Amino acid sequence: MKKLIYISIIATLIAACSTAKNEQKQLEPRQKKAVVYQVFTRLFGNTNTNNKPWGTIEQNGVGKFNDFTDKALGEIKKLGVTHIWYTGVPHHATITDYTDYGISNDDPDVVKGRAGSPYAVKDYYQVDPDMAVDPSNRMEEFEALIERTHKQGMKVIIDIVPNHVARHYESLNNPDGIKDFGAEDNTSVEYAQKNNFYYIPNESFKVPEAMEGYKPLGGEKHALADGKFAEYPAKWTGNGSRLAQPGHYDWYETVKVNYGVRPDGTFDFDVLPDNYETKDYREHYTFWQGKELPDSWIKFRDIAFFWLDKGVDGFRYDMAEMVPVEFWSFMNSSVKMKNTDAFLLAEVYQPGLYRDYILKGKMDYLYDKVDLYDTLKHIMQGHGSTDHIAPIQHKLVDIEHHMLHFLENHDEQRIASPEFAGDARKGMPAMVVSATLSTSPTMLYFGQEVGEPGAEDAGFGSHSRTSIFDYIGVPHHQRWMNNGKFDGGQLSEDEKELRDFYKRLMTFTAQSDALMGDYADIHAYNRNETKGYTNKVYSCVRWREDEKLIIVSNFNTKEGYEFELKLPVELVRKMDLKDGEYAAIDQLYQIEKTTLTINGGIGVLKVKIAPLQSFIFKWS
């Protein structure tokens, strides 16, 4: 009975992969996998190794747009990268004094860290002054970076944070005819459709009561750090708190943007008809023409258009699920009408909302965090099972192309941190699975490829994540950067080997035809049929007309395995494989060679795999 169940699973998954392929062709005609390199722009080029907690920009240094030289960008390109996500580009609240450039100071009582969170945007029509050699020329320096990136054959993504803005939003650079957020709000009411914010009438904002000994700037004296911040009437906080005094763990440095959602949760805008998940962006765009829209919708569309005109090729939308899907229908259809190829990536963490935000909201890609990332993390930590991988692919089969895969980003713990896996090598089999399992894009976070552990005490926040709130150096990445040579000259041998692995893997995925083709799980079949094959190993098959791959990864940190991996009859027939022998060569290192034998319609591949090793076998 158990055997029949496994065979049934295989048959279902093979049928499902064909459906996924058809869906992918309809929704996304991309011929190769996209590879996104997320870089925290402020930290990338910083060579200062002082790393004083709560250190100033003078003490700890900061990276600049100009640090992304042609050499640096060329080395990133060699990782197979197609898109660079420059995180933290729009001007956000910071404690560094830029009053000499006409920029008002921000209050440490409502800024997290000294450098400030990039997700508390202060001016959407300007870039952050920290990253400019000459802050008065900062936009021109960023435009030059866009041009350099394009010359290297990569596209540019930046953040748009639609759900909230900095507590002290103040744009000095609005284009003609564009008003600031809140400039025309009726502040005497909690809600109005044309208001940009929600208000708490007749109450003043109060700074949260600090917990766990927290003090702004670590307790350093500062003229504005007095436990007060003038805001009357108080506004709702970014995470939705309706209290005039939000809590310590609320997003108190930000205020929530009003998208026409009334305080009782009902909508003050037209709702998409039921059949609109089947319509393309052009029909969505047409639907919104002539409709009465909340003012915030128009403001964010205009922001997107501004950056597209600067040469930006796409956006990563922060916490998109906190904004109604109808807004995204309007926003993304407008963006696509302006740039059909725009790359639109969003955070949505509720699986029940995935299809709405892809099909109705017209997102290109969502994070596959709750399913694949969380599952791989558990396996890397030693208490998860590879049996859980294939069901994820099956569950998301109709939208698999749209679920971007990653193992690190600025929100998540570094793989090498003790709080995650404690060893960057444990991420190697997981990265192979993440990068080859589906047709979706793969994302790397800068420093991941050299095993960055995120161990610094930067100031605000805790260890295990590279700080996004303070000025800090990134030690392993700095060793690769090698004082601006970008040649890995200071890396240890282990770090060089790790980066070489990432380079081999990601360049292969960016060039492979099979990885944009069909998928079939063979893990369940081999768990039932193959001696020595355990739930610490994962295997699958990917194929297209001219390229066929068997992918095998061993997550065990101590034990290797030797077994005869099998391809079931149904799969052999599906792949149109004839009886005979096929020479199979590993595509990662071109060293391991074996033979795939098809006999009586069943495939057998002899595999000997070491701890944490992976193979991508290709045969002809």
Side-chain angles (χ1 to χ4, degrees):
M1 185 65 171
K2 183 179 178 183
K3 181 175 180 179
L4 290 175
I5 290 171
Y6 278 120
I7 292 173
S8 176
I9 290 171
I10 292 295
T12 301
L13 288 173
I14 291 171
C17 76
S18 180
T19 302
K21 183 178 180 183
N22 291 336
E23 183 74 11
Q24 177 254 321
K25 283 184 175 179
Q26 292 172 14
L27 296 175
E28 176 54 71
R30 189 184 304 281
Q31 296 303 305
K32 305 287 185 181
K33 275 178 76 80
V35 177
V36 179
Y37 191 76
Q38 182 196 2
V39 58
F40 201 81
T41 318
R42 183 174 68 214
L43 303 183
F44 179 86
N46 185 17
T47 58
N48 188 311
T49 59
N50 190 33
N51 285 359
K52 177 184 177 181
W54 296 99
T56 65
I57 195 171
E58 293 80 15
Q59 292 168 328
N60 284 359
V62 71
K64 304 293 184 182
F65 293 131
N66 288 359
D67 293 326
F68 291 89
T69 61
D70 289 333
K71 169 66 173 174
L73 292 169
E75 292 301 316
I76 293 172
K77 175 68 174 177
K78 289 177 184 177
L79 287 171
V81 172
T82 58
H83 296 72
I84 300 184
W85 167 17
Y86 290 108
T87 304
V89 166
H91 182 190
H92 57 267
T94 180
I95 304 306
T96 300
D97 189 333
Y98 285 106
T99 53
D100 286 348
Y101 299 92
I103 300 169
S104 61
N105 279 330
D106 290 299
D107 190 328
D109 292 303
V110 290
V111 175
K112 291 180 177 176
R114 186 183 292 275
S117 168
Y119 297 102
V121 175
K122 180 176 181 173
D123 184 350
Y124 261 115
Y125 290 100
Q126 188 51 276
V127 299
D128 201 73
D130 277 348
M131 295 179 285
V133 174
D134 177 4
S136 64
N137 197 41
R138 56 195 183 276
M139 183 62 80
E140 288 76 9
E141 290 186 29
F142 180 60
E143 290 171 342
L145 174 57
I146 294 174
E147 184 176 353
R148 289 197 301 278
T149 306
H150 287 164
K151 283 183 177 178
Q152 290 289 340
M154 296 177 288
K155 295 188 176 183
V156 172
I157 301 168
I158 67 168
D159 295 277
I160 287 182
V161 189
N163 179 66
H164 48 272
V165 296
R167 199 111 223 164
H168 177 48
Y169 186 92
E170 184 183 42
S171 178
L172 304 176
N173 304 281
N174 289 340
D176 290 344
I178 290 180
K179 302 287 187 181
D180 252 5
F181 283 96
E184 298 179 325
D185 280 6
N186 176 2
T187 63
S188 68
V189 296
E190 183 179 27
Y191 165 85
Q193 190 210 41
K194 295 298 184 181
N195 279 1
N196 297 132
F197 303 127
Y198 298 92
Y199 295 91
I200 308 169
N202 305 316
E203 292 193 53
S204 296
F205 173 81
K206 294 181 181 179
V207 173
E209 290 187 11
M211 299 178 68
E212 300 182 4
Y214 171 75
K215 295 179 181 179
L217 304 181
E220 176 188 313
K221 289 185 178 180
H222 188 282
L224 297 176
D226 57 2
K228 300 176 182 178
F229 178 74
E231 180 182 286
Y232 181 86
K235 302 180 183 76
W236 288 15
T237 293
N239 63 322
S241 172
R242 305 183 186 192
L243 301 176
Q245 185 177 29
H248 177 77
Y249 297 107
D250 287 325
W251 304 347
Y252 60 81
E253 78 279 22
T254 66
V255 292
K256 185 168 180 62
V257 174
N258 166 19
Y259 281 89
V261 180
R262 302 182 186 95
D264 65 3
T266 58
F267 297 153
D268 209 352
F269 49 78
D270 287 58
V271 176
L272 286 170
D274 289 341
N275 64 339
Y276 263 68
E277 67 273 8
T278 64
K279 297 185 181 297
D280 67 14
Y281 70 85
R282 297 174 186 85
E283 291 172 286
H284 279 247
Y285 177 80
T286 300
F287 176 82
W288 294 110
Q289 302 311 298
K291 298 285 195 301
E292 182 181 353
L293 303 175
D295 185 69
S296 298
W297 292 31
I298 306 302
K299 279 186 165 57
F300 271 99
R301 180 204 61 189
D302 291 345
I303 288 165
F305 282 6
F306 174 84
W307 290 107
L308 290 172
D309 287 342
K310 292 289 183 185
V312 168
D313 303 292
F315 305 105
R316 181 268 188 185
Y317 299 127
D318 186 77
M319 294 308 294
E321 68 188 62
M322 298 182 76
V323 177
V325 73
E326 276 79 10
F327 163 73
W328 292 117
S329 166
F330 165 78
M331 174 76 155
N332 290 336
S333 64
S334 298
V335 167
K336 290 290 189 179
M337 290 296 291
K338 190 172 179 67
N339 179 1
T340 304
D341 295 325
F343 188 101
L344 305 177
L345 168 64
E347 274 186 303
V348 175
Y349 293 135
Q350 299 181 63
L353 297 178
Y354 288 169
R355 288 164 181 80
D356 276 353
Y357 278 77
I358 292 168
L359 301 175
K360 290 185 178 181
K362 296 304 163 192
M363 295 294 183
D364 291 325
Y365 307 107
L366 308 180
Y367 283 10
D368 195 348
K369 195 273 183 195
V370 174
D371 288 308
L372 187 65
Y373 168 85
D374 285 347
T375 296
L376 291 176
K377 181 175 183 178
H378 292 158
I379 299 170
M380 284 184 274
Q381 291 175 325
H383 50 253
S385 168
T386 55
D387 294 346
H388 299 141
I389 294 173
I392 293 170
Q393 187 71 356
H394 176 55
K395 172 179 143 182
L396 301 174
V397 65
D398 58 316
I399 55 170
E400 60 91 26
H401 177 70
H402 302 277
M403 302 305 297
L404 175 135
H405 293 175
F406 66 92
L407 295 184
E408 287 190 356
N409 64 45
H410 68 279
D411 284 323
E412 306 299 341
Q413 294 172 319
R414 292 286 195 175
I415 297 168
S417 70
E419 295 83 356
F420 188 147
D423 184 345
R425 294 175 301 169
K426 293 181 180 179
M428 294 167 67
M431 197 67 216
V432 171
V433 172
S434 181
T436 62
L437 187 66
S438 79
T439 66
S440 69
T442 310
M443 186 170 75
L444 299 178
Y445 187 39
F446 89 113
Q448 177 182 345
E449 70 275 23
V450 292
E452 189 62 51
E456 296 72 43
D457 179 7
F460 186 89
S462 59
H463 298 213
S464 79
R465 296 170 176 84
T466 297
S467 175
I468 65 170
F469 303 104
D470 284 286
Y471 300 111
I472 201 74
V474 186
H476 290 226
H477 168 73
Q478 287 176 323
R479 294 202 286 274
W480 170 76
M481 193 165 53
N482 195 17
N483 294 311
K485 295 179 182 178
F486 302 102
D487 61 2
Q490 297 178 36
L491 293 174
S492 69
E493 288 304 310
D494 286 347
E495 290 161 354
K496 289 178 181 178
E497 289 179 9
L498 183 67
R499 193 174 193 278
D500 178 63
F501 161 79
Y502 273 95
K503 185 176 180 180
R504 290 172 181 271
L505 173 62
M506 301 318 299
T507 52
F508 173 78
T509 65
Q511 297 166 4
S512 171
D513 288 326
L515 294 181
M516 292 304 290
D518 287 286
Y519 156 91
D521 169 65
I522 55 173
H523 174 81
Y525 183 81
N526 282 278
R527 286 279 280 137
N528 188 53
E529 298 287 339
T530 301
K531 182 180 179 180
Y533 186 100
T534 80
N535 71 343
K536 296 299 180 184
V537 177
Y538 182 72
S539 58
C540 67
V541 178
R542 301 297 313 276
W543 76 95
R544 221 172 191 175
E545 292 83 357
D546 298 324
E547 184 179 53
K548 296 177 175 64
L549 308 173
I550 295 177
I551 298 153
V552 190
S553 288
N554 179 12
F555 287 81
N556 198 311
T557 61
K558 297 179 180 179
E559 294 186 32
Y561 300 100
E562 191 168 356
F563 46 77
E564 292 188 344
L565 192 72
K566 296 178 178 63
L567 306 186
V569 172
E570 297 89 346
L571 179 58
V572 170
R573 186 181 302 118
K574 181 78 174 178
M575 297 178 70
D576 195 26
L577 296 175
K578 309 302 181 186
D579 279 9
E581 293 186 346
Y582 301 82
I585 302 174
D586 172 46
Q587 299 302 294
L588 288 176
Y589 292 95
Q590 303 290 325
I591 296 173
E592 190 72 20
K593 298 180 181 180
T594 187
T595 300
L596 171 64
T597 301
I598 309 295
N599 186 10
I602 296 177
V604 175
L605 184 81
K606 290 185 178 181
V607 176
K608 184 177 181 181
I609 192 166
L612 299 178
Q613 190 173 28
S614 294
F615 297 126
I616 301 176
F617 287 116
K618 177 181 176 180
W619 69 92
S620 55

